[in-house]
DNA sequence: CTGAACTTTCAGAAGTTACTGAAAGTTTAA
DNA sequence: TTAAACTTTCAGTAACTTCTGAAAGTTCAG
């Protein structure tokens, strides 16, 4: 189905995406053979996909008495999933980029032959860093409050405008 | 460099990422030959990468009198870049997923044999949809206000708490 | 122990994506 | 026109990713 393709942009391959989709949509836990047969992929492939889903902390295993097979189930809610994937990708993609940028900026301290590039990197670093801190804060709110905040939506903007009017132009630093 | 790898997760390949990084870091426009030589890739590859960057509306072309080569420059600020990439990916990845989900949900109207799966899909659809609407609102704020909002950070949460206390429990619908 | 019921691993095959470079296309100056 | 100075295209190849399935590993009941 189409869900697999989506998955490839979230950092895992088609089979992993499809298996996860099946698990999420199934009310009861599913075993590896059934997954393989349903999707038409080999047993080995299913095993590797499950392994990866476990590395992402996205599935848990169930056992039924009198049956030695492992039955898989998604771990946590849709929110947990989104949150976990966000964490993992951050750890794998963003954090290394931020520290690379920091290293370059440190080493170039008093080397003035490429001020422009350094300033660009500083800007990117600061933007990414600010965004990530914000994302952390939002994530730490938990689903309920975050959802409320999203629904509030443009309401938050009104608060912001109000604050500006009350406090003057403090935050309006970088018009372009 | 490491920037290329980052790019591959943003929907384009290594060379495209590297070329864009070079352009962003260069104060003056750069021509295709220089790009190719600097990165050690073929002229043809540079041409295709530039074509892709143009499809993403991320570069513009400059000409110098007495020189027929095309000189490339990033189009817009870092913020514009982030914003453009977000738009494009949304159009390519999220929108199709949302409409697929909607189609399935419509067609399954009064088919009760898989209520659980349908409910899961509805949840995912609603979460994704809410998130995207929110992202739209934030994006339409423009860089200055968005930055202010991010810096406000946990302040917004206090506002939210205050609102809850004043208005009662209206928004607290889905505890888990 | 033994062997049946499983899961995991991994070498090689299949499939996919990216890159090269020669050829074709475009533009402009003379 | 012509030809020089470029850019684009694309068939073939290289590099990478994913998948298969047989073999090895694990667990457990008898």
């Amino acid at each position: 189905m189409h869900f697999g393709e989506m998955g490839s942009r979230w950092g895992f391959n088609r089979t992993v995406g499809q298996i996860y989709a099946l698990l999420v949509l199934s009310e009861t836990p599913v075993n590896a053979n059934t997954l393989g047969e349903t999707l038409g992929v080999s047993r080995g492939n299913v095993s590797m996909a499950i392994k990866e889903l476990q590395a992402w902390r996205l599935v848990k295993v169930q056992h039924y008495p009198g049956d030695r097979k492992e039955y898989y189930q998604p771990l946590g809610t849709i929110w947990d999933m989104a949150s976990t994937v966000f964490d993992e990708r951050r750890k794998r993609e963003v954090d290394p980029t931020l520290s690379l940028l920091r290293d370059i900026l440190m080493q170039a301290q008093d080397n003035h032959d490429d001020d422009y590039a350094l300033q660009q990197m500083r800007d990117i670093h600061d933007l990414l860093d600010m965004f990530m801190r914000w994302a952390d804060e939002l994530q730490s709110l938990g689903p309920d409050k975050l959802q409320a905040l999203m629904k509030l939506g443009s309401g938050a903007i009104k608060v912001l405008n109000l604050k500006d009017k009350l406090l003057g132009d403090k935050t309006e630093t970088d018009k372009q």
Side-chain angles (χ1 to χ4, degrees), chain A residues 86-102:
Chain A
F86 183 81
D87 285 347
E88 290 288 337
R89 294 218 42 189
R90 181 207 170 129
K91 209 182 323 169
R92 297 176 192 200
E93 306 288 331
V94 183
D95 290 352
T97 303
L98 279 176
S99 48
L100 176 72
L101 284 172
R102 272 192 271 264

Side-chain angles (χ1 to χ4, degrees), chain A residues 12 16 72 79 85 96 102 111 113 129-130 135 137 139 155-156 159:
Chain A
F12 36 71
V16 174
Y72 304 98
W79 273 93
V85 172
R102 272 192 271 264
N111 163 356
D113 31 280
D129 190 55
M130 178 177 64
E137 274 190 305
Q139 227 184 338
V159 173

Side-chain angles (χ1 to χ4, degrees), chain A residues 35-97:
Chain A
L35 290 170
E37 284 156 24
T38 311
L39 297 173
V41 302
S42 73
R43 192 49 242 281
N45 196 1
V46 172
S47 183
M48 309 227 291
I50 294 286
K51 194 178 164 193
E52 180 146 15
L53 286 170
Q54 280 166 336
W56 285 79
R57 308 192 311 283
L58 287 172
V59 290
K60 67 181 168 198
V61 182
Q62 273 267 310
H63 284 277
Y64 291 108
D67 185 347
R68 290 209 202 150
K69 290 190 216 62
E70 307 205 298
Y71 288 76
Y72 304 98
Q73 239 187 330
L75 178 54
T77 66
I78 302 298
W79 273 93
D80 294 330
M81 170 198 83
S83 193
T84 302
V85 172
F86 183 81
D87 285 347
E88 290 288 337
R89 294 218 42 189
R90 181 207 170 129
K91 209 182 323 169
R92 297 176 192 200
E93 306 288 331
V94 183
D95 290 352
T97 303

Side-chain angles (χ1 to χ4, degrees), chain A residues 117-143:
Chain A
L118 288 177
Q119 189 54 48
Q120 290 289 89
M121 289 198 221
R122 222 184 317 271
D123 287 353
I124 294 170
H125 172 276
D126 292 350
L127 178 62
L128 207 54
D129 190 55
M130 178 177 64
F131 186 73
M132 283 298 140
R133 285 172 198 278
W134 188 53
D136 274 350
E137 274 190 305
L138 292 176
Q139 227 184 338
S140 72
L141 285 180

